[in-house]
Amino acid sequence: MLWILRFSGVFSAAMMMVVLSPSFQSFPPAEAILSAQDYGPDPLRGGELFPRSSLSFRRAPEFTNADECGTLGRTRPGVCNPGLVHVAITLDVEYLRGSIAAVHSVLQHSRCPGNVFFHFLILDTGLESLVASTFPNINFKVYHFDADLVKDLISTSVRQALEQPLNYARNYLADLLEPCIGRVIYLDSDLVVVDDISKLWETDLGTRTIGAPEYCHANFTKYFTDSFWSKKRLSATFTGRQPCYFNTGVMVIDLVKWRGVGYTKRIESWMEIQKRERIYELGSLPPFLLVFGGQVAQIEHRWNQHGLGGDNVRGSCRDLHPGPVSLLHWSGSGKPWIRLDSKRPCPLDTLWAPYDLYNHAHQ
Ligand SMILES: *[C@@H]1O[C@H](CO)[C@@H](O)[C@H](O)[C@H]1NC(C)=O
């Protein structure tokens, strides 16, 4: 474990535990708790209530295709156009600032931004116009995720943020996206891409359904309860596999294979078991480990330099894993926008800041 700890507070054994334990869960974006006075009517939508903090983003520059990108970027391509790079990301009022920065980063580092098509998963209406006004020439479609789909499947988790219905939208991409879409990159909202996403898009998944960087040095046992490991009928699911931890915040998904096998149902059945038997403590991640662990196409670690959220409460900051970086991911409980606003950023938070389009002056 080569985490380097930067001390912003008093050293303690507890901090060391946090830093050394390989808890790279896909902690979805964080802790922006908004109070009632943070909400106001959205002028773009007339009447519906949205957090004031989400209202104002600066307009991103227009990103245009390089010459070698072909003709796709010159017109608005239809969603089924075979030349597109499909990216799915959730948009909700709490993590909107993170999602907007993520989209901005993808566009900025793409040679062919006009060939990227964004699929935004949302619970509430209203964010559509905000996206369109922030990114003048982006290709996108908005999908309403029905929280009722997972309402009865979500069990309590160690962190409340992990129980948000939208967190589970990634389970349903194969059903939500048009049947003509055969592959998608799923991205969490607390990350920035600092390389051309088309390189990730071209990943060879071989016979696998999903691709993600795997972390085989992490102790896999601890992602499930003793009760799970003690029940042979459950833990036998891993027989013949050598599962490793992977983070579900960055995945390349073959939707054709997913639909063919019906992986959504498999994930749901593990969530049903969890409701009855408590087989894990985290949110949307463990069902993915159960279904895909040991059968994940390996993607270079540079595509998910995760854990940068560290632990907000203890004020710990994390450093990058050794090696190259194509994507920075603030998984963990701290989020860069919250730390930057509080004037207590971690050193790497300054790498997120250039993608932030939030308009402070508007408040
Ligand atoms: C992995 O974690 C489990 C449960 O916490 C523990 O019993 C086991 O000794 C650990 N294994 C290693 C190799 O550290």
Side-chain angles (χ1 to χ4, degrees):
M1 204 58 41
L2 290 171
W3 291 113
I4 297 166
L5 179 60
R6 301 220 174 135
F7 301 95
S8 58
V10 182
F11 175 85
S12 72
M15 269 172 66
M16 210 55 200
M17 285 295 291
V18 167
V19 170
L20 293 179
S21 70
S23 49
F24 319 133
Q25 294 85 359
S26 176
F27 283 142
E31 325 277 279
I33 308 301
L34 297 163
S35 61
Q37 67 266 29
D38 291 326
Y39 287 80
D42 180 356
L44 301 169
R45 294 283 304 181
E48 285 176 58
L49 291 186
F50 281 92
R52 292 188 196 286
S53 56
S54 75
L55 285 182
S56 185
F57 287 90
R58 291 189 306 281
R59 204 176 170 84
E62 286 203 20
F63 295 101
T64 49
N65 273 357
D67 286 342
E68 75 265 23
C69 296
T71 55
L72 204 52
R74 294 194 202 131
T75 53
R76 289 270 165 127
V79 68
C80 292
N81 190 304
L84 291 168
V85 169
H86 295 282
V87 176
I89 189 164
T90 63
L91 278 188
D92 73 50
V93 288
E94 281 185 39
Y95 316 126
L96 190 55
R97 194 168 162 190
S99 299
I100 296 279
V103 170
H104 187 198
S105 70
V106 169
L107 294 169
Q108 186 166 321
H109 293 277
S110 291
R111 266 194 92 61
C112 307
N115 299 7
V116 180
F117 198 105
F118 290 92
H119 302 266
F120 294 117
L121 312 167
I122 67 170
L123 286 179
D124 312 297
T125 50
L127 299 173
E128 207 157 345
S129 49
L130 188 133
V131 170
S133 61
T134 304
F135 300 105
N137 56 346
I138 186 185
N139 307 312
F140 77 100
K141 181 169 174 180
V142 168
Y143 301 78
H144 292 268
F145 178 64
D146 180 5
D148 285 346
L149 272 176
V150 289
K151 168 167 109 315
D152 297 327
L153 286 174
I154 298 175
S155 55
T156 55
S157 163
V158 282
R159 269 182 35 206
Q160 216 191 336
L162 301 179
E163 296 164 27
Q164 297 303 315
L166 210 47
N167 236 349
Y168 296 84
R170 72 193 88 191
N171 303 357
Y172 297 90
L173 289 169
D175 312 312
L176 286 167
L177 272 48
E178 281 76 359
C180 64
I181 299 171
R183 174 178 281 217
V184 70
I185 296 173
Y186 176 80
L187 297 178
D188 267 351
S189 300
D190 51 353
L191 53 78
V192 293
V193 177
V194 295
D195 197 351
D196 195 328
I197 197 146
S198 68
K199 297 181 197 163
L200 179 58
W201 176 255
E202 281 152 20
T203 302
D204 180 7
L205 297 182
T207 60
R208 309 303 200 188
T209 302
I210 69 169
E214 285 187 297
Y215 302 87
C216 293
H217 57 268
N219 186 342
F220 193 79
T221 313
K222 74 189 188 73
Y223 293 100
F224 300 95
T225 58
D226 291 345
S227 157
F228 170 81
W229 292 114
S230 67
K231 290 173 184 158
K232 216 56 216 129
R233 77 187 145 82
L234 299 177
S235 54
T237 191
F238 289 122
T239 304
R241 293 196 258 164
Q242 275 157 4
C244 293
Y245 170 77
F246 61 93
N247 180 285
T248 51
V250 179
M251 294 184 284
V252 180
I253 305 176
D254 183 324
L255 297 172
V256 177
K257 289 204 188 83
W258 184 298
R259 292 176 189 120
V261 177
Y263 282 115
T264 301
K265 283 272 168 291
R266 292 203 190 176
I267 288 175
E268 284 181 338
S269 35
W270 282 113
M271 289 173 76
E272 276 157 16
I273 292 169
Q274 162 75 351
K275 289 288 282 191
R276 297 195 302 267
E277 307 187 42
R278 197 74 187 170
I279 54 174
Y280 51 80
E281 301 296 340
L282 293 167
S284 60
L285 167 74
F288 272 86
L289 297 181
L290 285 160
V291 173
F292 296 108
Q295 292 169 346
V296 171
Q298 181 60 274
I299 288 177
E300 282 182 86
H301 290 105
R302 65 191 301 153
W303 286 105
N304 195 349
Q305 286 268 3
H306 62 300
L308 305 181
D311 191 314
N312 225 10
V313 178
R314 292 178 181 81
S316 62
C317 295
R318 286 181 171 187
D319 210 336
L320 295 168
H321 300 255
V325 181
S326 293
L327 184 152
L328 297 147
H329 186 185
W330 278 263
S331 55
S333 60
K335 298 300 154 192
W337 54 93
I338 293 170
R339 290 195 297 233
L340 287 160
D341 281 1
S342 71
K343 307 274 183 267
R344 287 194 305 272
C346 285
L348 290 173
D349 293 348
T350 54
L351 297 178
W352 181 85
Y355 304 99
D356 186 17
L357 290 170
Y358 178 61
N359 193 357
H360 284 277
H362 187 80
Q363 281 187 311

